[in-house]
Amino acid sequence: MKELAFKYNVTEFCTALKPFAYKYFFQKGYNKVLYFDPDIYVFSPLNKIYGELDSASMVITPHYQTPEPIYSGIFREGNILFAGIFNLGFCGISNTIEGNRIIEWWCQRLQSHCYADRTDGLHVDQKWVDFIPVLFSHVHVERGLGYNIAIWNWHEREISYHDDKYWVKNRITGGAEEPVIFYHYSNYKFKLANSFENFIPVNSNRFPDIKTISEFYANLLVQENISSKLSILKYSFSTFDNNMPVTQFHRRFLRQLLDMNVSFEDPFLTEPQDSFFNILQKSGLIVYNDSSDKLNEINFKGFDRKIAYINTMAKITKKILGFERYALLCKFMFRYVRPENQLFLLKQDKIKPSFVNENRYINV
């Protein structure tokens, strides 16, 4: 379990535990178990879902379901393809023979491959579920518009409020209204819940009808003082036992070492001389804060200026090498984007650095 917690970041680890939680509750004797992400609010009874689980082994919901000649959603279709057809913020599984087969199959994949990694074509737990309707016979895809409404289907689902209830209809094709069953507040900024303008996703202005249901939830969060509570929470597996930060680089190094059958009793420990921490420290790979993991194109100060410098260096390199060799260099450097391919930085005799076997991930 410690290796699992170390090699995965907080999102990867939490989602990897999902099928194991199902297994736990089934062993406790529960016949139908529903999972909801913590940012989901249930507005209406779930009788239909429980009814579907009388005959279905699993109930899942797609990110969206209305075809358009010209796609109008907020997320690029390529992002949806990367994330998976189904959103696993919700799923229901029944304690049947096939339900347990699904869980066992899912556990095996997530124990080793629950990464958010575009190169490997993985998006934590939910990308694997694309296989499930094909591999198993009794899987119900819930197409009701009121289930799992979220930013990825705002373009498809128009929300209204009347008769003391939230309703949804198809924004693209029209049709009758359906009650909102549960709404998924994904991409909302919970640490900023005290300010509605900051709490709601910035691109929500394209769909003003979602404002009312967003304000409803924001008010509940303010009453619970959620923003203050979240600000003091710390991920339990974010540091070694001496409080030095565990970075994404460290996690991916361990991932590759495990693939090479190099393991550690507890990678969070710092005391043993042959500990993972000491190997990293001897190699100059320990940091004193985890700010590098939090930096991106949006919050990196002076990002545009730094990119301009890199572009200038690239032009000089191209001029020196010539275009053909420069293009070859770019292809070669792609390997170094992956932390797993930089084990040569580790100073340890028993670790023999090698590139990831790219043949494991064949393009189809």
Side-chain angles (χ1 to χ4, degrees), residues 93-273:
I93 304 180
S94 59
N95 191 358
T96 60
I97 293 175
E98 186 178 81
N100 281 277
R101 285 179 60 219
I102 290 172
I103 289 170
E104 189 59 39
W105 179 90
W106 206 10
C107 283
Q108 290 297 322
R109 271 88 194 143
L110 301 192
Q111 189 162 343
S112 300
H113 296 93
C114 190
Y115 297 100
D117 192 317
R118 287 185 178 272
T119 303
D120 288 354
L122 296 176
H123 188 69
V124 292
D125 65 313
Q126 69 183 27
K127 185 67 173 180
W128 290 105
V129 178
D130 285 359
F131 286 106
I132 286 182
V134 178
L135 299 179
F136 301 94
S137 302
H138 301 93
V139 178
H140 174 71
V141 178
E142 178 52 58
R143 297 177 179 273
L145 295 174
Y147 297 86
N148 214 351
I149 303 170
I151 190 171
W152 45 79
N153 53 45
W154 284 350
H155 70 288
E156 175 187 62
R157 306 182 191 190
E158 182 178 352
I159 297 175
S160 60
Y161 182 80
H162 55 84
D163 302 325
D164 295 325
K165 196 170 185 177
Y166 288 99
W167 302 83
V168 60
K169 69 177 182 180
N170 196 307
R171 195 188 303 272
I172 299 168
T173 63
E177 289 185 322
E178 303 175 24
V180 171
I181 308 300
F182 59 88
Y183 187 97
H184 195 160
Y185 291 88
S186 179
N187 283 260
Y188 287 72
K189 299 178 180 63
F190 284 79
K191 290 184 178 180
L192 303 175
N194 287 328
S195 168
F196 180 70
E197 291 74 17
N198 295 324
F199 170 64
I200 195 169
V202 293
N203 39 19
S204 62
N205 55 6
R206 280 182 54 189
F207 307 102
D209 53 283
I210 61 98
K211 182 177 180 182
T212 301
I213 200 168
S214 300
E215 285 182 330
F216 163 80
Y217 197 55
N219 289 333
L220 292 181
L221 296 178
V222 169
Q223 291 174 25
E224 296 292 335
N225 197 24
I226 290 296
S227 57
S228 296
K229 293 176 181 178
L230 288 177
S231 65
I232 61 175
L233 291 179
K234 181 183 178 182
Y235 180 43
S236 301
F237 300 108
S238 64
T239 64
F240 293 94
D241 65 0
N242 62 356
N243 290 322
M244 299 296 282
V246 175
T247 71
Q248 187 72 347
F249 239 80
H250 301 155
R251 298 186 191 281
R252 292 308 180 91
F253 273 4
L254 185 68
R255 165 189 179 176
Q256 180 62 2
L257 290 174
L258 292 174
D259 282 350
M260 296 166 58
N261 296 317
V262 178
S263 61
F264 302 88
E265 183 178 350
D266 184 342
F268 291 98
L269 294 180
T270 58
E271 281 302 317
Q273 287 299 312

Side-chain angles (χ1 to χ4, degrees), residues 42-50 147 165 180-181:
V42 178
F43 286 89
S44 301
L46 300 164
N47 298 339
K48 185 175 185 296
I49 296 294
Y50 285 114
Y147 297 86
K165 196 170 185 177
V180 171
I181 308 300

